[in-house]
Amino acid sequence: MSYINSYCHISNDTVKINGENSTSIDSDSIEEIIRELYLSLELKYSKFHKMDQLSKIAFIGTELIKQANPEISKSGENDIALLFSNSRSSADTDIKFQESYQNGGIPSPSLFVYTLPNILIGEIAIRNKWYGENMFTISSIFDSEYYANYCNILIKKNAEAALCGWINVDDDKIEAFFFFVTKKDLKQLNLPLDSNMLEKIYRQD
Amino acid sequence: MEKLKRELKEQIIELLNLEDIKVSDIGDDTALFGESLGLDSIDALELIVLMENGYGIELANPEEGKDIFATINSMADYISKNKK
Amino acid sequence: MITYIGSENIISPLGDSARENFIKVKNNETGISLFSGIGVDKEDLYLSKIGTLSDNNKFDVLLAKCLDSIIKESSDNIINSKDTIVILSTTKADIQENLTAPIQSSVEKIKVAYKLHHTPLVISNACISGVLAMNTANNFIQSNIYKHAFVIGADVISDFVLFGFQSLYAISNEVCQPFDKERKGISLGEGAAGVLMSSESSVFKKEALEFVEGTSSNDANHISGPSRTGEGLYRTVQKTMELANIKSSEIDFISAHGTGTLFNDEMESIAFDRLNMNNIPLNSLKGYFGHTLGAAGLIETAISMQSIRTNTLVKSLGFEAEGTSGGINILTQNLEKEVSTILKTASGFGGCNASAIIRNI
């Protein structure tokens, strides 16, 4: 058995932590929204600006989950599994990379490195020095059953906690949901992890 | 030459997304791949693209970039000698 | 409970079955050849490209052919069972044809065509996808979520991927030479491979092997440059051995990742040195198949399973002189010896690393 200790929704106009509105967003373009969210974190991480949109949102969501779970820093460096998925893979960056070489242009190396969706897991691992299990899957809809099953499996096997996320971004829409699962109930929300519960909180947005 | 150096600093900041860095933070002799700017190997490859797109200079081998991209001075020097 | 693994299949320029591919590999034949005018600047480059299939719809055709072959080698109807999951491993799927949704239509087609009970799970985790897919299958089976898993990996060559690796100066202008002093980068490849994994040995038509354990770990260092200490690779192999309760002295062979780039191969040698695996015979199969990305882990596992079945290790094609600092035992010729337990490793962009141990029963 494992427990959901916090969760976070990010959309174009709001950030919700554990289902409660935490930040309203005033910006319009996706780029400005992401910038506004980054500034609201009040931290300096120069690598952030080099990331693609998908990694930037993953980074912001992870920082928000960390703020809601100060305990997270006590986890061992091998003990946090990172499980992410979406429906669009890295399409947003794939389009930009293809544009860079079409019509005789030079393919951009800094775009190409972000044409794999699991790069966002690497960014989170680098930022936090987390060496645990990695997994990026692609599914057409948020698959609560997979998440509940696989979190429980890894937590039973070789992780103390799992940070999970579902992130889609395109030219005009951000849809992101993050949740943090631990072996021990930290008694923050009293939410045992199962697929029905997960589906319910995912849909709270 | 001063114009070219300023242009290079602006291009590097824009191209490599150095949000927290201003033109005045980059000295003509600042080591681009040292601590202050924190550029990495992918940035070096992106500078090769800049040389080709911006100045029509093709580098055959990324190894050549090491000396050329050492500082703004060395970049400007190389561009002014090789620009097509 | 044992997780069985078998019914392996490979589709590559070298053939359409694991056996056919293994015979060619044993003869040290390569699928890599020169293609003219294909690079971003119209340069000639080496690829391992399947010429017998049309490029049109190639990804879907590869998946279907591979799945058909595994189904043929397993009990009737388990593909349709409610206890069965299909796991697909790919990095870019059909990106050339469908930039914004390269995988969804393939998943739907397979689900309908094979009357699957569950939607296939797609793992897209760079070059460790194939090994990760097997690890995931094992985890599902060990937890009784599913009894059987058809694990298929496929990727096809596209301008997108080729030009991308060219932009990183990671493509060799010769046939790739993993671990060699003169190595200059990768040769891109395409293909598909798959295995059946199950909690029941009876579902396999030929004798199955045991999938003992598998894990993954991140370098937490850089998104495209391998760790200088081989951190993630070192950690995943350690974790896998610990969970499997297997010591390095029990491992007969390492099927390494060995892409042929300067930094990757050096990183692997350092990790194996730190693991005190210097004397274990090791190869990279990229000299035969090129780097097939999402298919690589499964192609290389299927060949290694043939090594266990035939007690024959194949040489690391393209390797002549030591070019890494770890001091590792790279196979310079085929070797007949008893092969019981093998270690498969993979590393990829995003700093990810995965490992798995398979043994004879």
Side-chain angles (χ1 to χ4, degrees), chain A residues 35 38 44-47 49-51 56 105-111 113, chain B residues 15-20 37-40 42-43 45-46 48-49 52-53:
Chain A
R35 199 180 159 76
Y38 173 75
K44 225 176 153 166
Y45 189 64
S46 59
K47 282 197 185 97
H49 307 292
K50 293 177 176 285
M51 297 177 194
K56 281 180 175 170
I106 304 168
S108 159
S110 58
L111 284 173
V113 294
Chain B
L15 181 74
L16 306 182
N17 297 312
L18 305 179
E19 287 265 328
D20 307 326
L37 300 189
L39 304 192
D40 70 3
I42 299 295
D43 295 319
L45 297 177
E46 208 56 63
I48 295 178
V49 176
E52 194 170 340
N53 271 342

Side-chain angles (χ1 to χ4, degrees), chain A residues 47 77-78 86-91 93-95 97-98 101 105 107-110 112-119 121-123 125-126 129-140 143 145-146 149-150 153-154 157-158, chain C residues 40 91-92 95-96 99-100 102-104 121-126 128 132 135-136 138-140 143 145-146 159-161 163-165 167-168 213-224 231 235 239 243 349-352:
Chain A
K47 282 197 185 97
E77 56 187 21
N78 288 323
N86 71 7
S87 65
R88 285 172 52 81
S89 182
S90 48
T93 303
D94 292 357
I95 293 165
F97 173 67
Q98 195 188 55
Y101 68 79
S108 159
S110 58
F112 181 64
V113 294
Y114 285 97
T115 62
L116 292 163
N118 65 294
I119 297 297
I121 295 177
E123 294 285 13
I126 293 165
K129 289 282 158 206
W130 287 338
Y131 299 88
E133 287 278 341
N134 288 187
M135 175 95 132
F136 199 98
T137 56
I138 300 172
S139 59
S140 55
D143 187 346
E145 199 181 327
Y146 154 74
N149 282 338
Y150 214 63
I153 287 172
L154 289 182
K157 184 179 169 180
N158 63 348
Chain C
V40 67
T91 61
K92 297 313 296 175
I95 186 99
Q96 194 98 328
L99 187 65
T100 53
I103 186 74
Q104 269 84 351
L121 178 68
V122 179
I123 297 182
S124 185
N125 212 103
I128 72 165
L132 206 51
N135 294 350
T136 306
N138 176 52
N139 287 337
F140 278 140
S143 309
I145 306 281
Y146 302 104
D159 287 351
F160 185 103
V161 174
F163 296 173
F165 278 105
S167 81
L168 301 180
E213 195 49 85
T215 66
S216 67
S217 179
N218 200 287
D219 287 333
N221 174 62
H222 193 271
I223 55 162
S224 59
E231 200 56 41
R235 287 183 192 232
K239 261 197 293 186
L243 288 166
F349 281 166
C352 54

Side-chain angles (χ1 to χ4, degrees), chain A residues 25 27 29-43 48-49 53 56-57 60 174, chain B residues 17-20:
Chain A
I25 302 164
S27 308
S29 76
I30 296 298
E31 212 167 284
E32 284 166 25
I33 292 169
I34 290 173
R35 199 180 159 76
E36 188 182 326
L37 289 173
Y38 173 75
L39 293 174
S40 74
L41 293 172
E42 294 183 346
L43 47 86
F48 178 84
H49 307 292
Q53 313 276 55
K56 281 180 175 170
I57 297 167
I60 291 164
I174 297 176
Chain B
N17 297 312
L18 305 179
E19 287 265 328
D20 307 326

